[in-house]
Amino acid sequence: MNRFTYLYLLLAVFFIHACSTTNTTEQDDQDREVAEQDQRPYQEEIDSLMAEMTLEEKIGQLNLLSSGFTETGPTLQDDYQDMIADGNMGGIFNGFTVEHTRDLQRIAVEETRLGIPLIFGFDVIHGYQTIFPVPIGETATWEPDLIKEASQVAAEEAAAAGVHWTFAPMLDVSPDPRWGRIVESAGEDPLLNEIFGEARVKGFEGDDLKDLNTILSTAKHYIAYSEAEGGRDYNTVDISERMLREIHLPPFRAALDAGAGTVMTAFNEYDGVPATGNQFLFNDILRGELGFEGFVVTDYTAIPEMIEHGVAADEADAAELAMNANVDMDMQSINYVEELPGLIEEGKISEDQVDQAVERILRKKFKLGLFEDPYRYSDYDREEETIMRDDFLELALDISKRSIVLMKNEDQTLPLSREEVNDIAVIGPLADNQYDLLGSWSAAGEYEDNITLLEGIRNNVEDNTNITYAEGTELEFEDYTTDGIEEAVEIAEDADVAVVAVGEGRHMSGEAASRVSLDLPGAQEELLEAVHETGTPVVMVLMSGRPMTINWAEENVPAIMNTWFLGTKAGEAIAQVMFGDYNPAGKLPVTYPRHTGMSPYYYNHKNTGRPMDPDERYTSKYIDEENSPLYPFGFGLSYTTFGYDNIQLGSDEISKDGTVEVSVEVTNTGDYTGEEVVQLYTRKMVASVTRPVKELRDFEKIELDPGETRTVTFDLDAEQLYYYDKDMEYGIEPGEVRVFVGTNSEEVLEDSFTVR
Ligand code: NOJ
């Protein structure tokens, strides 16, 4: 090659490279624009609308007030309708039904200068009017696809009744059964909260928010609300950043990836700063790392609560903190309406900050199609046709059966035989009780629609079966009597079986319903003991929103069904399971401790330097109670039995981005066709930071006929095992990983492999 040819070639290469660089840059710009448009649609419409808005009208968009009955707080603004007319309102919550939402929307659209429609929010947590099991119960199905369908139904009903936006799903990983809101969670495990959070978001939001059977969802409560000290609601939280990132953030990341359009601030503090004014949480992590483009709403009056927290001197101070954390919408305190104009005048915050918040809220209103037709979700015919449709009720029944966890079944007490059981005594304060079946947060659910256990049993027996009923005692902490126990004993004495429904009332879990004791309230255990004394076999039906210390029952009662609060179809579902029309397969998404004093109590704990040893005093344990769980995480029986055998790993060694195949043989060793949730856990044996003794990595629900064996295979990616090392680097260090596969978190087969 001569000098000229070489130069020529060099120039040619340079030219081609320059052209391709230009092209790539142009292409990049175009791609970026498209991506931005995808993420920020309706920009032109928003810009031209905002150009017309006064500062007061803009701030009005950041205001969200309750229109009616509210479960959660002290302040109720009587003049909210005037505020709508004055253009001081962006949204209303707790306002539902077509009639009510049309009335309020009319004020916004017809009486304000710009006619910007309101957004209507509501706590549609486990159904709108067709009520599904409470979230902890839904999670016990271990069937996220089914729970996605339940959320779709909830969205379709809500969207037909004027509601645009639900304050769900709750993603708080909940390790403490004293905390009442555990009922709204997917339990104590991060992976379950991730998977079920994602399913619920997809169910609510669907493919396009404009579809009339979808609503906007809320990832809440951001963040770590469930770590309240002592399990006392609204209490202080003090956790490490490692815990924040490993336990609490993953469900939020999953929910946002699934498309959750809004995020709600938590009441608690993180690292000394209340979440609602916490710039690290919102600016750095949520908007920065997670790239969240939707809007953030506060929890109920959380902005002025920063005064009580002691980080704001007054309301103005609180508003400034919240605005600087990019918190867009103020729920229920009218703090932004009152304080932002002054703060802007003083130059403490900029109008640009307000503009950004307004833009984020307006974008959702455009996405919902509210500017095309503000009444599109409020259609009388659709409301009439949609609410409690037959197929919705059928799904509720199916999910209710699948949520039931069989906790004990000595001598195959269950299923009951319709032929052999001729006399059934139905006993207990929850036996003929429609009201409590709704559970906490029941949206537009009407308790009169619920099928009680007594009714369910009546519907499911032969005509000549004799059914008697006695309440026994009341569902109260204090004002209860024991007078009814005698009658309960009398009917039990004459019966072939006594079905005793005990537990908590619907408001004994949920918000502001923390307990110091997980025991059955009132005289319910006394009732249970008295009925058991008769010698008639007892089937205990437990209803509650949290783990309960039912140690006596576990020792003495032959059969226990854990039924949470199952909602509209409760009684029917329980009866069908009781008589064997459906073989129960639910598994616990939470650990049941033996004593309240063990709380918080969760399976994925650290090993400590002195792991519990029952025979060694100086180990990590309590001296006045057995230290094992009453029921472990992942536990649940079936009318059949399953055997696990032959755990196999595809390789002994994998790289940091490799995959190992884990397989196990599962056999139905009993007499009924049944479903089983096969669970996969791991433990990193040595790392630069301490690791949990077990972490759920995957699961699969399978159905097997009697005698049938199936090989279940999981592809376990090293990436699923990543954690933050001592330098907060995310990844996995070399060394042994132990693998466990089994029917619950304790009964497992194990093997191990090495990460290179
Ligand atoms: C307070 C609760 O913490 C939150 O979850 C709920 O969405 C709001 N109140 C609105 O009812």
Side-chain angles (χ1 to χ4, degrees), residues 426-431 433 469-475 484-485 487-488 491 501 527:
V426 184
I427 294 167
L430 283 153
N433 175 329
Y469 162 73
E471 187 186 14
T473 184
E474 299 87 3
L475 204 58
I485 295 184
E487 187 197 352
I491 65 165
L527 169 69

Side-chain angles (χ1 to χ4, degrees), residues 148-161 163-164 200-216 368 376-377 382 386 389 392:
K148 178 178 164 199
E149 279 181 48
S151 304
Q152 265 159 356
V153 167
E156 187 156 357
E157 283 192 345
V163 176
H164 312 137
R200 290 182 169 118
V201 167
K202 288 187 172 159
F204 289 133
E205 299 219 6
D207 298 327
D208 185 352
L209 264 190
K210 246 190 207 160
D211 292 341
L212 282 169
N213 54 2
T214 62
I215 53 178
L216 192 57
L368 285 159
R376 61 199 298 272
Y377 294 83
R382 213 173 49 247
T386 309
R389 242 167 49 194
F392 297 171

Side-chain angles (χ1 to χ4, degrees), residues 618-632:
Y618 294 96
T619 60
S620 183
K621 65 180 189 204
Y622 299 100
I623 56 171
D624 52 353
E625 180 54 271
E626 226 180 280
N627 286 267
S628 58
L630 185 60
Y631 304 103

Side-chain angles (χ1 to χ4, degrees), residues 495-694:
D496 298 325
V497 63
V499 175
V500 186
V502 289
E504 292 186 317
R506 58 181 291 224
H507 294 303
M508 291 177 181
S509 61
E511 188 180 350
S514 294
R515 292 192 58 193
V516 293
S517 162
L518 304 174
D519 294 346
L520 293 172
Q524 295 186 92
E525 190 157 307
E526 200 179 315
L527 169 69
L528 205 57
E529 289 177 22
V531 174
H532 174 72
E533 258 313 276
T534 63
T536 301
V538 171
V539 174
M540 170 172 161
V541 175
L542 178 65
M543 297 186 192
S544 72
R546 57 153 60 83
M548 308 217 63
T549 41
I550 49 166
N551 307 23
W552 183 88
E554 171 55 26
E555 259 166 50
N556 297 284
V557 165
I560 304 174
M561 294 168 76
N562 180 5
T563 70
W564 319 101
F565 296 111
L566 293 179
T568 314
K569 288 289 188 180
E572 188 65 31
I574 302 169
Q576 288 188 18
V577 171
M578 204 176 268
F579 290 104
D581 303 330
Y582 176 76
N583 184 357
K587 299 272 188 175
L588 297 176
V590 277
T591 307
Y592 276 50
R594 291 178 185 275
H595 194 285
T596 317
M598 298 162 102
S599 313
Y601 196 68
Y602 46 94
Y603 84 96
N604 48 347
H605 59 83
K606 305 286 186 75
N607 201 38
T608 81
R610 295 188 174 196
M612 195 270 289
D613 178 344
D615 304 322
E616 283 294 333
R617 179 169 182 122
Y618 294 96
T619 60
S620 183
K621 65 180 189 204
Y622 299 100
I623 56 171
D624 52 353
E625 180 54 271
E626 226 180 280
N627 286 267
S628 58
L630 185 60
Y631 304 103
F633 174 84
F635 175 82
L637 302 171
S638 162
Y639 293 151
T640 192
T641 45
F642 296 99
Y644 281 70
D645 201 15
N646 201 15
I647 183 172
Q648 297 275 357
L649 299 186
S651 58
D652 299 342
E653 240 187 41
I654 61 166
S655 66
K656 290 179 180 188
D657 48 13
T659 301
V660 60
E661 216 181 69
V662 182
S663 67
V664 71
E665 282 171 18
V666 187
T667 304
N668 182 339
T669 48
D671 301 330
Y672 296 83
T673 296
E675 291 155 294
E676 165 73 336
V677 180
V678 183
Q679 302 163 37
L680 171 72
Y681 300 85
T682 64
R683 175 175 175 188
K684 180 78 172 66
M685 297 309 289
V686 179
S688 61
V689 287
T690 58
R691 302 303 308 153
V693 295
K694 266 184 202 120

Side-chain angles (χ1 to χ4, degrees), residues 261-300:
T262 74
V263 169
M264 186 184 288
T265 71
F267 284 124
N268 55 282
E269 64 180 74
Y270 171 73
D271 198 15
V273 182
T276 306
N278 195 312
Q279 297 191 28
F280 171 68
L281 292 181
F282 285 96
N283 300 351
D284 296 1
I285 300 189
L286 190 79
R287 306 260 186 218
E289 290 176 31
L290 303 186
F292 179 61
E293 295 274 350
F295 74 81
V296 173
V297 61
T298 73
D299 203 343
Y300 202 99

Side-chain angles (χ1 to χ4, degrees), residues 64 66 69-73 93-94 122-125 166-168 170 172 181 184 218 220-221 225 233-234 264-267 298-301 331 441 511:
L64 175 72
S66 171
F69 173 75
T70 166
E71 292 198 27
T72 60
F93 69 111
N94 293 333
F122 196 25
D123 289 283
V124 179
I125 309 293
T166 175
F167 303 137
M170 188 181 101
D172 298 301
R181 301 201 79 168
E184 295 169 52
T218 309
K220 78 182 187 186
H221 307 85
Y225 180 32
D233 209 1
Y234 318 120
M264 186 184 288
T265 71
F267 284 124
T298 73
D299 203 343
Y300 202 99
T301 61
M331 182 192 284
W441 299 114
E511 188 180 350

